[in-house]
Amino acid sequence: MRRPVAQATEAIGAGKAGIADDGSTTLTARVFALMRSDILELRLEPGSKLTLEELRDKYDAGASPLRESLSRLAVEGLVTGE
């Protein structure tokens, strides 16, 4: 997966809304929210290659939650599959 280079910034400022760490959210939902926030706040560089190995370390999650999160991010147009 890659971050698209020309990404609109209309959602910047979304912050970490929706990220609850009180045990009420699934791991996939938590990882998705964190990745989305990192993308929108440019902590993940546009055009950068996102590998599962690096994402596992960064988000402390396994392959399934990461793949599901990447799939949801692709639907939103925030990443593209290659």
Side-chain angles (χ1 to χ4, degrees):
M1 293 288 197
R2 284 190 184 268
R3 281 262 292 131
V5 174
Q7 182 63 41
T9 58
E10 70 275 356
I12 288 181
K16 296 192 185 273
I19 302 173
D21 198 16
D22 59 3
S24 66
T25 58
T26 65
L27 179 58
T28 299
R30 182 184 65 82
V31 170
F32 169 76
L34 289 170
M35 288 176 70
R36 186 175 190 281
S37 175
D38 286 348
I39 289 168
L40 295 176
E41 294 179 14
L42 301 176
R43 287 187 291 266
L44 289 174
E45 188 176 330
S48 63
K49 186 172 183 177
L50 305 174
T51 64
L52 282 179
E53 294 78 24
E54 291 173 0
L55 294 174
R56 278 187 200 139
D57 293 338
K58 182 172 180 67
Y59 298 105
D60 193 30
S64 277
L66 290 170
R67 284 191 188 109
E68 176 64 25
S69 297
L70 288 168
S71 179
R72 291 174 58 186
L73 290 166
V75 168
E76 289 190 12
L78 295 174
V79 297
T80 58
E82 289 186 1

